Amino acid sequence: MPHIKVIEHSEAEGQLKEIYDDLVTKRGKLAEVHKIQSLNPESIVKHMELYMTIMFSKSPLSRAQREMIAVVVSVANSCLYCQTHHAEALNHYWKDDSKISQLKRDYSKTELSDIDLNLCELAWQLTRIPSVTTETIISKFKELGLEDRGILDATLVISYFNFVNRMVLGLGVHLEKDKGTGYKY
């Protein structure tokens, strides 16, 4: 049960109803993370614009890499809601339940490319110990051929999921009854 009032889709009117209907059309369904912002409908729109830019726009990082980062950040923050949703999204690309489970248990023991392993390390370090310099990890990216835009995009994904994890955890957002299935990837 959320810690604040939430306006359900069936109760929504005006701008909020339009936003909810648009989300259902574009994303396949309405997520609890959107409904938690129902008292400030404009924040839902801005949130989705940021999400779509960071997770779906053109990038040196693949969609799978961005979802992988989302899972690692959410594990580091113990955010079951985002772990569940983004592990499902990642599995849309990986199609490997055991690899997803291993990523959630210990990314360092998951069979990953050097760049992916470093993306996970950056996600973990920047989430858990943000004051620790990541210069070594970033230098390794450059050695592996990841350009600065890719490093920026990884940092944006990490930052975004730390923001969302805190909103979800702080406001008591719980998984949907259907456990996150049915979204358009």
Side-chain angles (χ1 to χ4, degrees):
M1 184 88 155
H3 305 319
I4 63 171
K5 178 183 174 168
V6 170
I7 301 170
E8 295 295 333
H9 194 179
S10 60
E11 303 165 339
E13 298 175 348
Q15 180 190 23
L16 181 60
K17 180 166 179 13
E18 289 174 20
I19 292 167
Y20 277 0
D21 290 346
D22 188 54
L23 283 167
V24 170
T25 299
K26 290 180 179 171
R27 302 288 300 141
K29 60 193 260 183
L30 184 61
E32 295 297 316
V33 73
H34 300 127
K35 292 193 301 185
I36 200 69
Q37 298 174 83
S38 62
L39 299 176
N40 184 349
E42 188 176 344
S43 74
I44 302 170
V45 174
K46 300 299 184 186
H47 178 167
M48 283 308 297
E49 287 173 1
L50 181 62
Y51 172 75
M52 295 303 290
T53 298
I54 289 172
M55 295 300 287
F56 288 86
S57 66
K58 187 175 179 183
S59 171
L61 300 182
S62 69
R63 283 276 302 121
Q65 286 172 314
R66 290 179 267 185
E67 293 294 352
M68 177 188 70
I69 292 168
V71 171
V72 172
V73 169
S74 299
V75 168
N77 284 320
S78 299
C79 182
L80 181 62
Y81 181 91
C82 291
Q83 283 179 52
T84 301
H85 280 283
H86 294 282
E88 179 185 321
L90 178 57
N91 210 24
H92 176 77
Y93 301 100
W94 281 6
K95 300 182 183 349
D96 187 337
D97 290 330
S98 62
K99 188 174 179 181
I100 297 286
S101 293
Q102 181 60 52
L103 180 73
K104 289 165 57 175
R105 276 191 311 278
D106 185 348
Y107 70 84
S108 70
K109 293 187 168 108
T110 307
E111 189 175 317
L112 299 168
S113 70
D114 288 342
I115 286 179
D116 285 355
L117 187 57
N118 278 281
L119 287 169
C120 290
E121 181 66 19
L122 180 64
W124 187 267
Q125 292 297 330
L126 201 50
T127 298
R128 295 300 295 249
I129 321 165
S131 62
V132 170
T133 180
T134 54
E135 192 174 326
T136 305
I137 299 168
I138 291 174
S139 295
K140 190 144 196 185
F141 281 135
K142 292 181 179 202
E143 289 171 19
L144 294 169
L146 184 63
E147 59 191 65
D148 286 349
R149 170 64 193 272
I151 296 166
L152 170 64
D153 288 358
T155 305
L156 288 169
V157 173
I158 294 162
S159 300
Y160 170 79
F161 278 95
N162 274 288
F163 157 72
V164 173
N165 288 176
R166 279 148 182 78
M167 183 172 52
V168 166
L169 294 168
L171 296 176
V173 176
H174 294 283
L175 278 168
E176 295 79 7
K177 290 183 181 21
D178 58 9
K179 297 194 175 58
T181 60
Y183 291 98
K184 297 177 184 176
Y185 301 112

